[in-house]
Amino acid sequence: MAFGVERKPARLVAFSDAVFAISITLLVLEIHPPQDTRHLAHGLAELWPSYLAYALTFLLIGQVWANHHVMFDHLRGVDRVVLLLNTLLLMTIAFLPFAASVLAAAFRDGHGQRTAVVFYGIALGVAASLFNAIWEYARRDHRLLASTVDPAGERAISRRFRVAPFWIAAGVVLGALLPALGVAVITALIPFYWLPIAGEMSRSKRGRAGRSDGREEWPEGGRGDL
């Protein structure tokens, strides 16, 4: 049973898209041009930690945005709990540009790198945990799920989403010892979470899609959509 009045998710998704877009745009504002233009090439090269933090965080936020759509594509409605959890998720996403600037400054100055990686990883870990909390709450007893996903699809999506907090935690632990390795582990999330989720679409919907476009229906456990 939903907690409070159940609403369509369209407005929540639109608001979330706006927060994702603003947060991802703010990242570039953390890259400041060199003060000494007499040695501009050298100064631009020295900004490599800012470029790295920008690219890493841009792709990570983009990944959360893409999977946020995957999740809400399978929800028929949202209630007060989902609204609260999603608000907390967006609050964490909006914090990531600051965490990225801390990471870049530490690698640029050569001090505090372990702390910066742990700080950055914790921010990502909180976002990943809130993301999972939304999905697990919505799918419990099928309280808010749409007919686009069957039990096998639910499990496939849950398995994919649950990996992130543990993966990030591993990056945090390694980053506390070897900062560069921690960043590398967190970076490895990017290609993994852009992969399609095999078994995401319900069997009935896969069948309708196969009949409508003339292609063969894929068996359960076969190819899925992002």
Side-chain angles (χ1 to χ4, degrees):
M1 180 180 295
F3 183 76
V5 177
E6 185 178 318
R7 294 172 170 83
K8 297 294 184 182
R11 292 183 66 184
L12 179 149
V13 172
F15 176 71
S16 300
D17 284 349
V19 175
F20 283 123
I22 293 170
S23 300
I24 214 167
T25 303
L26 289 175
L27 287 168
V28 75
L29 300 181
E30 298 297 333
I31 305 177
H32 303 289
Q35 298 295 319
D36 184 7
T37 55
R38 292 173 300 176
H39 305 91
L40 188 58
H42 178 71
L44 289 171
E46 285 188 331
L47 291 175
W48 69 266
S50 295
Y51 306 146
L52 176 62
Y54 166 78
L56 172 61
T57 312
F58 196 107
L59 290 172
L60 285 170
I61 293 177
Q63 174 188 104
V64 176
W65 167 78
N67 284 284
H68 191 268
H69 275 272
V70 169
M71 176 164 57
F72 280 91
D73 281 348
H74 296 305
L75 300 189
R76 70 170 188 275
V78 298
D79 64 7
R80 288 279 182 174
V81 174
V82 173
L83 292 173
L84 172 60
L85 291 173
N86 194 74
T87 299
L88 294 174
L89 171 63
L90 296 179
M91 181 175 70
T92 309
I93 294 298
F95 185 77
L96 288 179
F98 172 70
S101 69
V102 171
L103 184 69
F107 275 86
R108 185 172 59 249
D109 299 338
H111 304 289
Q113 295 173 351
R114 290 182 176 85
T115 301
V117 174
V118 170
F119 181 72
Y120 185 81
I122 289 174
L124 286 174
V126 171
S129 298
L130 288 166
F131 194 99
N132 274 272
I134 297 170
W135 173 250
E136 292 302 325
Y137 172 81
R139 71 183 286 260
R140 185 181 301 167
D141 300 325
H142 300 270
R143 56 162 56 95
L144 295 171
L145 288 183
S147 60
T148 56
V149 63
D150 56 18
E154 286 180 51
R155 292 191 293 271
I157 295 171
S158 295
R159 284 193 298 269
R160 175 66 62 85
F161 289 172
R162 286 173 184 166
V163 170
F166 297 100
W167 194 320
I168 294 168
V172 168
V173 172
L174 292 172
L177 302 173
L178 297 170
L181 180 58
V183 172
V185 170
I186 292 172
T187 302
L189 277 169
I190 296 170
F192 177 75
Y193 272 94
W194 280 108
L195 293 172
I197 303 174
E200 173 199 343
M201 188 183 296
S202 70
R203 182 181 296 180
S204 60
K205 190 171 181 180
R206 287 198 302 269
R208 289 194 299 270
R211 288 189 296 271
S212 65
D213 61 15
R215 293 179 295 181
E216 293 184 8
E217 179 181 349
W218 288 81
E220 184 175 357
R223 186 179 66 183
D225 297 330
L226 176 65

